[in-house]
Amino acid sequence: MGQNVASIPLDKKTLFKFWDVGGQESLRGLWREYFTHLHGIIFVVDSTDRKRLEECRDALLDVVTDEEIEGVPVLMMANKQDVEDHLEVQDVKELFNPIAEHLGARDSRVLPMSAIKGEGVKEAVEWLGVRVVRNKQSRAPRLK
Ligand SMILES: Nc1nc2c(ncn2[C@@H]2O[C@H](COP(=O)(O)OP(=O)(O)OP(=O)(O)O)[C@@H](O)[C@H]2O)c(=O)[nH]1
Ligand SMILES: [Mg+2]
């Protein structure tokens, strides 16, 4: 079950802790358990799976419209950009537009990624880092 935790230092003062929660339908009910304590969301989608992207969007829309998620930056990663037949970031952006409209441009972004090649990870951590640090007052860090 997807409960893997990893830590990545952002700088000398900031340690990012990531929980990898599974995306399967049966596990989505567990996402809610994280809402009060999280500081940011990275939502990874498969850019080659056109059929399921709408379902992904709806699942994420359900999350971002929850009042506990207010003010939380949400990053959508268009993964598998290394696969020949993939949707371009622009197309993923269009699909996920309802999320961007709800959150505003400041707190949402779609970035290209290839987990297998390790591409896009640095950009993701940077984008989220800026926002999490900026939210230090409204959403205080957990010092552990
Ligand atoms: N070509 C390619 N394959 C990838 C990439 N990222 C993941 N995969 C493959 O996609 C499959 C699913 O990857 P997972 O990491 O298990 O997917 P997941 O989203 O964590 O799945 P859940 O935890 O069930 O939500 C695996 O076979 C991976 O090797 C990528 O960037 N490029
Ligand atoms: Mg997983």
Side-chain angles (χ1 to χ4, degrees):
M1 287 237 299
Q3 297 283 314
N4 309 315
V5 188
S7 294
I8 298 181
L10 184 66
D11 54 45
K12 283 180 186 153
K13 293 196 299 186
T14 319
L15 181 73
F16 257 14
K17 208 163 170 183
F18 293 89
W19 277 264
D20 174 15
V21 297
Q24 300 163 45
E25 201 174 357
S26 58
L27 295 176
R28 287 179 208 161
L30 298 173
W31 291 355
R32 200 158 293 276
E33 307 285 323
Y34 298 85
F35 285 5
T36 26
H37 299 305
L38 61 78
H39 297 85
I41 295 173
I42 300 180
F43 193 80
V44 182
V45 300
D46 182 341
S47 313
T48 69
D49 196 345
R50 288 172 171 78
K51 277 189 207 144
R52 287 178 68 211
L53 277 168
E54 287 187 24
E55 184 186 336
C56 289
R57 183 215 32 226
D58 295 342
L60 183 58
L61 197 54
D62 214 41
V63 170
V64 301
T65 49
D66 191 287
E67 59 184 27
E68 288 204 85
I69 296 303
E70 190 161 350
V72 170
V74 177
L75 181 54
M76 291 152 274
M77 302 302 287
N79 192 33
K80 301 203 188 178
Q81 291 292 312
D82 59 286
V83 178
E84 202 177 325
D85 185 25
H86 66 263
L87 277 180
E88 296 302 331
V89 176
Q90 193 49 44
D91 300 324
V92 177
K93 261 186 198 162
E94 263 168 48
L95 249 155
F96 281 76
N97 205 37
I99 315 268
E101 276 179 5
H102 183 81
L103 295 167
R106 188 172 166 268
D107 281 328
S108 72
R109 184 87 194 265
V110 181
L111 288 176
M113 176 186 198
S114 166
I116 274 190
K117 289 188 164 182
E119 288 167 4
V121 178
K122 190 165 168 276
E123 291 79 1
V125 173
E126 274 170 15
W127 186 90
L128 206 60
V130 170
R131 280 151 189 88
V132 168
V133 172
R134 189 162 69 196
N135 291 345
K136 225 157 110 180
Q137 305 299 331
S138 56
R139 231 170 158 96
R142 306 195 94 201
L143 302 171
K144 231 186 183 181

